[in-house]
């Protein structure tokens, strides 16, 4: 089954905590400005202080919403219901590779260069603890291994901090109920005792990310060239984001479906961004957010792990500061996530696909 791809909030936070984008080399204009600041004070009369900028009002607290599926086209005949089939005791290893780049800027201008982060690789064990009478399953997941690859240069200081933060997540567990249509509920999530404080601060975001492990399938029968939308509200990078995913069937087999995926994201403004580390007395509110992405997925109905590749671009503006001084921070984030089985699972893990 295909893991819905999203950026890991802990990586973004780790990047910000490690100092964000490096300062650009001083230009002649910047040098002149510094020299001007260093010049002796003049006798010009002091200008009256500018009035304080009011802190924008926050929106009421927003909550995640479960996915809703709307069939755009049922496709061509023959059609059938798409359902996952679970087998108690089945377990497989999932490998997720996450690549990310981030550009940051102040005052509404994006920086001229972006920071590329090394690929983060996570191996998780997915296991079916119990199959309920209605075919739904009690699922467990555990992070077995997390590593930071050396595919992109990174100074050893930030690398060590990021490796330590990621390593502290090894052993994190999740338990949930997953329906035969891929809708996840009753999620319980726990971090290991030695988990990094940044990870603990973002437990809710990570919990809601794991809630979207499975592609929600339509209730109706569909065939080749079918298309359906999945709408949900979920936490991304500290904000509650409205996400629309569109799945277009490219190939439909008895045991799997291949789809092209498009993603569109938006978010209500003035949300408090509590996951961003800030000095005491400062607040951060979302000013705007827009995202889009494309990908492909192969989703098996009787296995636990499918294959997918997804690239998402996210542009976000944040109003940050205190009661007297506020600035706009803009971020441009590109995330690519690849999911695949970590290794071939034992043959007895497979359940027979169900057709109707």
């Amino acid at each position: 089954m295909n893991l819905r791809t999203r950026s890991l909030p802990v990586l973004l936070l780790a990047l910000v905590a490690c100092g964000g984008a490096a300062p650009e080399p001083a230009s002649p204009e910047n040098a002149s400005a510094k020299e001007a600041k260093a010049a002796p004070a003049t006798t010009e009369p002091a200008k009256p202080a500018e009035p304080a900028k009011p802190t924008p009002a926050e929106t009421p607290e927003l909550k995640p919403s479960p996915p809703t599926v709307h069939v755009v086209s049922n496709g061509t005949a023959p059609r059938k219901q798409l359902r996952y089939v679970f087998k108690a005791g089945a377990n497989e290893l999932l490998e997720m590779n996450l690549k990310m780049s981030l550009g940051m800027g102040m005052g509404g201008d994006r920086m001229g260069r972006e920071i590329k982060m090394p690929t983060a690789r996570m191996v998780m064990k997915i296991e079916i603890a119990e199959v309920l009478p209605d075919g739904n399953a009690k699922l467990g997941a555990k992070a077995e291994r997390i590593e930071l690859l050396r595919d992109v240069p990174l100074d050893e200081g930030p690398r060590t901090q990021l490796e330590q933060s990621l390593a502290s997540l090894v052993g994190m567990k999740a338990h949930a109920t997953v329906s035969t249509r891929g809708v996840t509920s009753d999620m319980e999530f726990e971090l290991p005792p030695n988990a990094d404080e940044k990870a603990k601060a973002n437990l809710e975001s990570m919990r809601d990310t794991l809630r979207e492990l499975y592609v929600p399938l339509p209730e109706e029968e569909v065939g080749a060239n079918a298309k359906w939308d999945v709408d949900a509200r979920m936490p991304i990078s500290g904000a509650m984001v409205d996400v629309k995913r569109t799945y277009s069937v490219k190939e439909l087999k008895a045991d799997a479906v291949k789809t092209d995926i498009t993603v569109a994201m938006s978010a209500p403004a003035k949300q408090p961004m509590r996951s961003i580390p800030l000095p005491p007395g400062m607040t951060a509110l979302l000013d705007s957010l827009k995202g889009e992405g494309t990908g492909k997925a192969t989703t098996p109905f009787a296995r636990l792990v499918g294959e997918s590749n997804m690239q998402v671009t996210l542009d976000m503006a944040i109003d940050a500061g205190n009661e007297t001084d506020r600035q706009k921070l803009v971020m441009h984030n590109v995330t690519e996530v690849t999911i695949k089985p970590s290794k071939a699972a034992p043959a007895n893990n497979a359940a027979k696909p169900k057709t109707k």
Side-chain angles (χ1 to χ4, degrees), residues 184-262:
T184 304
S185 60
D186 302 327
M187 172 68 74
E188 295 181 0
F189 190 86
E190 60 182 279
L191 290 172
N194 64 332
D196 185 272
E197 288 301 320
K198 298 183 186 68
K200 291 180 180 180
N202 287 274
L203 178 59
E204 187 65 33
S205 293
M206 297 171 69
R207 178 185 292 117
D208 287 297
T209 298
L210 288 175
R211 191 174 284 132
E212 297 296 324
L213 282 173
Y214 294 93
V215 173
L217 301 173
E219 180 69 38
E220 304 94 321
E221 293 185 348
V222 295
N225 302 314
K227 180 185 292 187
W228 65 89
D229 292 334
V230 178
D231 295 289
R233 174 169 285 177
M234 61 190 64
I236 298 178
S237 299
M240 282 296 171
V241 180
D242 295 319
V243 181
K244 177 184 286 293
R245 290 165 284 150
T246 301
Y247 296 87
S248 301
V249 175
K250 296 303 175 184
E251 185 177 358
L252 182 58
K253 299 181 178 180
D255 60 349
V257 59
K258 292 185 178 181
T259 55
D260 286 348
I261 310 169
T262 60

Side-chain angles (χ1 to χ4, degrees), residues 6-8 98-101 310-314 333-337:
R6 292 170 22 79
S7 62
L8 290 179
L98 185 146
K99 296 181 180 181
M100 186 172 69
S101 65
M310 194 81 190
Q311 181 169 302
V312 176
T313 300
L314 185 67
N333 173 257
V334 179
T335 304
E336 182 179 1
V337 182

Side-chain angles (χ1 to χ4, degrees), residues 18-305:
C18 289
E24 296 181 353
S27 63
E29 291 81 1
N30 290 338
S32 298
K34 291 181 179 179
E35 292 173 0
K37 290 182 180 179
T42 65
T43 58
E44 293 182 2
K47 296 181 179 180
E50 295 183 0
K53 299 178 181 179
T55 301
E58 297 182 3
T59 58
E61 184 178 1
L62 302 174
K63 299 290 186 180
S65 64
T68 58
V69 181
H70 169 69
V71 175
V72 178
S73 170
N74 293 90
T76 58
R79 302 182 182 93
K80 65 175 184 179
Q81 282 188 330
L82 306 184
R83 296 293 184 269
Y84 297 122
V85 181
F86 303 106
K87 180 181 178 181
N91 65 86
E92 297 181 22
L93 291 178
L94 173 152
E95 178 183 298
M96 178 173 65
N97 293 291
L98 185 146
K99 296 181 180 181
M100 186 172 69
S101 65
L102 178 67
M104 301 177 66
M106 297 295 293
D109 294 324
R110 206 173 88 193
M111 276 195 169
R113 74 181 186 91
E114 295 179 344
I115 296 177
K116 293 185 177 181
M117 299 298 295
T119 298
R121 175 172 293 169
M122 176 187 291
V123 175
M124 295 189 71
K125 182 179 180 181
I126 311 296
E127 184 172 12
I128 301 299
E130 180 185 0
V131 177
L132 305 176
D134 57 4
N136 298 343
K138 297 287 187 179
L139 174 145
K142 180 182 179 181
E144 298 284 338
R145 185 173 73 253
I146 306 176
E147 59 182 321
L148 194 64
L149 305 187
R150 291 189 172 270
D151 53 341
V152 174
L154 183 65
D155 291 343
E156 286 304 313
R159 170 179 284 277
T160 299
Q161 293 181 40
L162 189 49
E163 286 178 334
Q164 291 174 348
S165 180
L166 293 175
S168 74
L169 296 177
V170 174
M172 67 177 179
K173 298 178 182 179
H175 304 278
T177 300
V178 184
S179 75
T180 57
R181 289 184 52 225
V183 178
T184 304
S185 60
D186 302 327
M187 172 68 74
E188 295 181 0
F189 190 86
E190 60 182 279
L191 290 172
N194 64 332
D196 185 272
E197 288 301 320
K198 298 183 186 68
K200 291 180 180 180
N202 287 274
L203 178 59
E204 187 65 33
S205 293
M206 297 171 69
R207 178 185 292 117
D208 287 297
T209 298
L210 288 175
R211 191 174 284 132
E212 297 296 324
L213 282 173
Y214 294 93
V215 173
L217 301 173
E219 180 69 38
E220 304 94 321
E221 293 185 348
V222 295
N225 302 314
K227 180 185 292 187
W228 65 89
D229 292 334
V230 178
D231 295 289
R233 174 169 285 177
M234 61 190 64
I236 298 178
S237 299
M240 282 296 171
V241 180
D242 295 319
V243 181
K244 177 184 286 293
R245 290 165 284 150
T246 301
Y247 296 87
S248 301
V249 175
K250 296 303 175 184
E251 185 177 358
L252 182 58
K253 299 181 178 180
D255 60 349
V257 59
K258 292 185 178 181
T259 55
D260 286 348
I261 310 169
T262 60
V263 177
M265 296 182 286
S266 61
K270 309 307 178 187
Q271 296 183 53
M273 306 291 288
R274 297 188 177 91
S275 66
I276 297 179
L278 293 170
M282 295 187 67
T283 61
L285 299 178
L286 180 67
D287 187 72
S288 65
L289 183 148
K290 181 180 180 181
E292 58 185 12
T294 59
K296 297 179 180 292
T298 299
T299 304
F301 303 130
R303 309 290 302 190
L304 301 182
V305 181

